[in-house]
Every structure is written in C-alpha cells, then in structure tokens.
Amino acid sequence: MLNAGVVSVPQQNSDKQSVSNGPSDSQWIEIAREAAKDKVHLQMLAPPVVEHGAKEVIVTFPVPYQPGYRGRSYDAKVTIDSATRKVTQILGGD
C-alpha cells in the first residue's frame, strides 16, 4: 500500500532485514502504519524512514520538505520493540 520508496538506516547490517533475520523494512513499516493509522493522519507523500537500533526499530513517516514551509517534519514517529514487535511509542507530527 506504500506509494513511495523506503529509506533504511541500518545499525550494523547492510541488507534490508533487521538483525537475526527479523522482519524486512516493509514489514516494520506495515506494523508502524497499522499502529498509527487511527491516531495520526499519514499522508505517505515521502518514503518512510526505518532506523534499526540495538533493541528497537523506529519508523518515521516524514513530511516532504517544502521551501518556505515551517511546519512539522513528520506525520508520525513509531517506536517498535525489535524482540516482541510491539509498538512502544507513537509520536505525532513534530
């Protein structure tokens, strides 16, 4: 359902899978999207950014940069526990 690419920021590995053969970036994005969809409006105008940490994965749904616009930089930032795959935090637009 994504209409844009994915930007991945892996911690140590260079493939698009998290450490120890966990979910792919697109699966992390789907987990985050499902958790955030009823809490914030996701425009999906820019590719989601997936950041892999030691114990968590953070998926950010950015707002595209527009010259002269001083609004938020993302629609949502979702933190997911990488071991349990449970969402631990959802932040709305910054």
Side-chain angles (χ1 to χ4, degrees):
M1 187 159 155
L2 297 175
N3 56 2
V6 174
V7 177
S8 179
V9 183
Q11 181 189 20
Q12 294 179 353
N13 56 342
S14 61
D15 63 7
K16 296 222 177 211
Q17 292 261 331
S18 66
V19 179
S20 74
N21 287 338
S24 66
D25 284 350
S26 60
Q27 290 170 316
W28 287 121
I29 291 167
E30 187 59 25
I31 291 168
R33 190 185 66 74
E34 283 296 314
K37 73 179 183 181
D38 293 331
K39 295 173 180 52
V40 292
H41 175 68
L42 299 176
Q43 299 179 68
M44 301 299 290
L45 299 174
V49 177
V50 181
E51 300 174 77
H52 298 270
K55 296 182 180 182
E56 60 188 21
V57 174
I58 299 173
V59 179
T60 304
F61 297 94
V63 174
Y65 173 74
Q66 297 174 8
Y69 177 69
R70 298 184 63 136
R72 65 188 189 279
S73 57
Y74 59 82
D75 285 333
K77 190 175 279 197
V78 181
T79 303
I80 307 165
D81 182 292
S82 57
T84 64
R85 300 180 189 172
K86 293 188 178 190
V87 173
T88 58
Q89 184 178 50
I90 299 173
L91 298 175
D94 165 313

